[in-house]
Amino acid sequence: MSATATDSLVVAPQWIGDAVMTEPLLRRLHARGERLTVGALPWVAPVYRAMPQVHEVIEFPFAHGGLQLRARRALGRELQGRFDAAYVLPNSAKSALLPLLAGIPRRVGYLGEARVGLLTHRLKNPKGKPPMVAFYSALSGATGVEGDRPRLQLKAGEADATLRAFDLSQRGYYVFAPGAEYGPAKRWPPGHYGALALQLDAPVVLLGSAKEAPLCEEIAAHAPGKCLVLAGKTSLAQAFALIASARAVVSNDSGLMHVAAAFAVKQVALFGSSSPLHTPPLNEAAHVIWLKQDPAYVPSLDCAPCFERECPLGHLRCLNDIRPERVLSILQ
C-alpha cells in the first residue's frame, strides 16, 4: 500500500444481499489504491469480513430505523481526521450524516432524500429498478461496470471448523435458504421445499435467521429424517461456510442467494414477486426459475413482478406453480 493511499469510509447498506452486491465496488476502489474501512450495522458486518480488500470493519452502534443523531455525532467525533473520502451506499439522508459529521471532505453517493448539502459528489438515480451490482459499482466513477460480479472469500480453516462443528462433510449436503425478509410473496411454499428434500440424494441443511426457524421446522416436518434445522443456530460467518461447502443451494430471492452466488456454488434461485433483472444471482452456476419469463407457462403472469410483500391477488401463482420436480431436474 502506498504511503499516499486514500483512506476511505464506506457506509454499508443494511441488508445482507445488498452488502454482497457492493463487493465489486470495493474491489475497484481497493485496486486504485484506496484503503477501505467499512461502517456497517452488526448483522451486515460479517459480509465485509469476507472481502479481503477491506482493511477494517466498524460496527455502527445504531438501531434499525430512527435518526439517532446523538449517536451519529459521537461516532462522527471519533472518526474526525481519519478519512479522505466516503462512499454512502444507502440512499437515505441519515446514512449521509455520519461522513458530514466526521468532516470527511469528499462524500460520494446518489441523490435522494434531500442529500444535496450532505454529499459533495452526487450521481443521479437511474430510472426504474436497475441491476443493483452495477448501480453500486458506478459510485467508483468507472465505466463498463455492467459485467461486475461479487466474490466472497472464507478465512483459512473457517470451512473445516464449521463442518466439524455441525458434523458435516464437504459437498456432502444441500443447503436450503427458505426465508425472505421482505415478505411471503418471495417465499417458495414450505411443502414444496419439503417435497424436494425427500427426493434429494443427500441431507439438507436449513439456514436462516432465528425468526425463520419455525418456517424451517415446518419444512423439516414435510421431510422426516432429511433435514438439519440450523436457522438461528449459526453465526453469519458459519452460514457462509456452510453455503460455500454445500453440494448446491436452493433459495428464494434473498440475501443468502447472493452469498451462494458470490461463493460460486451451484444454485437454484426461485423468484416470485421480485425480478431477476434487478437482483439476479451473478454466478455462472446459478439457475433462475421465474415463471414470468417461461413461455410455456400459461396463463402468463401479467401481474409479475409486483414487488409486493404479499400477493395482492391472493393466489401466489408465481411461486406455488414452481414444482419441486422442476428444481430436482436441475440439481441432478
Side-chain angles (χ1 to χ4, degrees):
M1 185 68 67
S2 166
T4 59
T6 299
D7 283 298
S8 298
L9 174 68
V10 177
V11 180
Q14 64 180 358
W15 303 111
I16 290 170
D18 284 346
V20 173
M21 289 187 283
T22 67
E23 188 276 336
L25 165 65
L26 274 62
R27 200 175 344 127
R28 286 179 175 276
L29 299 178
H30 178 265
R32 70 188 188 197
E34 299 191 38
R35 183 165 51 194
L36 303 174
T37 296
V38 175
L41 294 168
W43 57 87
V44 172
V47 177
Y48 292 98
R49 297 191 178 104
M51 299 182 190
Q53 66 269 42
V54 174
H55 174 69
E56 181 185 2
V57 178
I58 297 173
E59 294 194 11
F60 284 161
F62 311 137
H64 181 64
L67 183 58
Q68 299 159 85
L69 186 56
R70 180 177 295 179
R72 292 179 197 276
R73 281 178 173 158
L75 184 55
R77 286 193 295 270
E78 289 181 28
L79 300 180
Q80 283 279 347
R82 282 191 54 182
F83 300 105
D84 309 295
Y87 298 88
V88 183
L89 307 190
N91 263 11
S92 64
K94 66 182 179 183
S95 62
L97 272 175
L98 181 64
L100 177 68
L101 295 169
I104 301 173
R106 177 180 168 86
R107 305 184 298 275
V108 183
Y110 281 97
L111 282 168
E113 283 197 10
R115 304 201 308 175
V116 172
L118 301 177
L119 301 172
T120 61
H121 295 72
R122 301 174 294 274
L123 279 69
K124 290 184 178 179
N125 274 285
K127 294 180 179 178
K129 290 186 175 290
M132 286 301 294
V133 170
F135 174 83
Y136 287 126
S137 290
L139 289 171
S140 68
T143 57
V145 298
E146 294 76 18
D148 281 3
R149 299 289 183 267
R151 299 198 299 257
L152 296 178
Q153 183 176 315
L154 295 175
K155 292 180 173 62
E158 199 164 14
D160 289 341
T162 300
L163 292 173
R164 284 196 302 272
F166 295 105
D167 195 23
L168 295 166
S169 60
Q170 189 79 223
R171 309 297 173 211
Y173 59 92
Y174 295 89
V175 162
F176 289 177
E181 186 73 22
Y182 187 71
K186 290 178 73 173
R187 297 181 196 139
W188 202 39
H192 288 15
Y193 272 113
L196 175 62
L198 284 173
Q199 299 177 74
L200 292 174
D201 57 352
V204 172
V205 173
L206 298 171
L207 293 179
S209 67
K211 289 190 297 185
E212 291 159 349
L215 170 65
C216 291
E217 293 288 357
E218 184 179 354
I219 292 168
H222 284 285
K226 287 287 293 192
C227 299
L228 175 61
V229 178
L230 294 183
K233 299 178 182 178
T234 71
S235 67
L236 189 56
Q238 287 176 318
F240 285 7
L242 291 170
I243 287 170
S245 303
R247 187 177 300 181
V249 175
V250 181
S251 74
N252 309 318
D253 173 19
S254 67
L256 294 185
M257 176 194 76
H258 292 289
V259 170
F263 282 118
V265 178
K266 182 176 181 179
Q267 66 184 130
V268 180
L270 308 166
F271 278 76
S273 64
S274 57
S275 166
L277 304 178
H278 177 50
T279 54
L282 294 173
N283 170 11
E284 291 183 359
H287 297 259
V288 171
I289 300 180
W290 192 38
L291 295 180
K292 171 73 173 183
Q293 290 182 318
D294 186 349
Y297 179 72
V298 290
S300 60
L301 281 170
D302 297 330
C303 53
C306 67
F307 296 105
E308 297 290 341
R309 294 179 184 273
E310 299 190 23
C311 177
L313 302 178
H315 53 61
L316 200 63
R317 284 174 46 215
C318 57
L319 288 169
N320 288 337
D321 288 354
I322 299 175
R323 305 308 304 166
E325 293 74 21
R326 181 170 179 178
V327 181
L328 180 66
S329 69
I330 297 170
L331 295 174
Q332 288 179 326

